[in-house]
Amino acid sequence: MLTTFAAAVAVLVLLYVMMGVKIVRQGYRYTIEHFGRFVRVAEPGFNYVTPFFYRVGRRINMMEQVLEIPGQEIITKDNAMVAVDGVVFFQVLDAAKAAYEVYDLYTAITALSTTNLRTVMGSMDLDETLSRRDEINTKLLAVVDQATESWGVKITRVELRDIRPPQDIVNAMTRQMKAEREKRAVILEAEGLRQSAILKAEGEKQSAILSAEGNREAAFREAEARERAAQAEAAAT
């Protein structure tokens, strides 16, 4: 009877100890709470948490993560409508702040990125939004990173994935590019004709010069031959 009771107690103690063993994977941090109050952060590896009195609160991913900025339509400074989407890369640096300073970290970062993207692109003209993508990324990164600092988060990169202007503007840009290409083709063709005419004129000029020099040389030789003939006739006489 006593042996059975001791075995039962040993089993209960073993179960109690096993309940408190927590293995934290690499790249994660667990927040430990004591009756609902945060007390510490469990590091990767073996951790013991006293059952019933302490518990794991949040499991925080400390690796670099990526969030999509949902596609949205933005009105630019010159009242053009563009469709934009992108991605945000971030990393949690402080697990406690990420767990308790903001209710839903992922939703908060997405909403913050979306609203600030509207602000940044809304202050630019359509041509600027299409040609200054790197500048938009840099501005958005600075604003979002500063806003999320109190959440223990570091925004590492912000990338606009696609900027789509309205179809009528796309058609107008296509016609403009086509007109520019045709203009360049006409200019190149005219330049080619001009160079051809210049080369032809230069060739005719050189031909005339060579012909004149040849005629002069022939006349000179003919006069010289007559002079020699006359001298020979005079000598014979």
Side-chain angles (χ1 to χ4, degrees):
M1 182 69 179
L2 184 61
T3 304
T4 304
F5 177 75
V9 171
V11 171
L12 290 176
V13 170
L14 181 61
L15 290 175
Y16 181 81
V17 171
M18 292 299 295
M19 287 173 60
V21 174
K22 305 295 180 184
I23 304 298
V24 180
R25 292 184 296 163
Q26 184 67 36
Y28 286 81
R29 301 289 188 277
Y30 292 178
T31 62
I32 307 301
E33 299 176 353
H34 177 59
F35 294 113
R37 181 174 62 86
F38 168 75
V39 290
R40 68 183 178 89
V41 174
E43 300 292 329
F46 177 86
N47 290 267
Y48 184 77
V49 180
T50 306
F52 306 118
F53 300 99
Y54 295 88
R55 72 181 186 91
V56 174
R58 304 283 183 87
R59 293 169 171 80
I60 305 299
N61 187 342
M62 304 297 289
M63 296 177 285
E64 187 172 12
Q65 305 172 69
V66 59
L67 278 177
E68 290 194 3
I69 301 177
Q72 57 183 314
E73 292 186 342
I74 299 175
I75 299 176
T76 62
K77 188 178 179 180
D78 52 353
N79 296 321
M81 186 77 72
V82 293
V84 184
D85 59 33
V87 290
V88 178
F89 295 85
F90 71 96
Q91 185 174 13
V92 176
L93 301 180
D94 191 321
K97 289 183 178 180
Y100 301 107
E101 294 295 333
V102 59
Y103 176 71
D104 188 336
L105 180 63
Y106 300 101
T107 302
I109 293 177
T110 302
L112 191 63
S113 302
T114 300
T115 54
N116 281 281
L117 179 60
R118 286 182 176 273
T119 302
V120 172
M121 294 191 65
S123 64
M124 306 175 73
D125 295 332
L126 176 61
D127 290 341
E128 293 175 336
T129 61
L130 296 176
S131 61
R132 299 184 181 179
R133 181 173 298 196
D134 290 340
E135 182 179 337
I136 297 173
N137 292 339
T138 302
K139 287 183 178 180
L140 193 58
L141 172 63
V143 173
V144 178
D145 184 45
Q146 182 179 3
T148 57
E149 185 177 358
S150 61
W151 302 341
V153 173
K154 174 66 178 176
I155 305 298
T156 55
R157 292 192 305 279
V158 178
E159 299 290 342
L160 295 183
R161 191 162 49 189
D162 193 14
I163 300 177
R164 299 180 299 277
Q167 190 59 42
D168 57 341
I169 295 180
V170 174
N171 294 336
M173 294 170 63
T174 302
R175 291 194 298 270
Q176 182 180 0
M177 288 188 294
K178 182 178 179 181
E180 287 291 334
R181 287 195 297 268
E182 291 176 351
K183 178 182 176 181
R184 287 196 296 269
V186 171
I187 291 174
L188 290 175
E189 183 179 0
E191 185 67 22
L193 293 175
R194 176 174 172 270
Q195 291 294 333
S196 177
I198 291 174
L199 292 175
K200 183 178 179 181
E202 287 288 339
E204 292 176 351
K205 177 182 177 182
Q206 291 295 328
S207 177
I209 292 173
L210 292 175
S211 177
E213 289 182 350
N215 293 333
R216 186 181 64 179
E217 182 69 21
F220 176 77
R221 292 183 180 278
E222 184 180 355
E224 187 178 31
R226 286 198 302 268
E227 182 180 357
R228 288 179 180 175
Q231 291 177 354
E233 184 179 354
T237 303

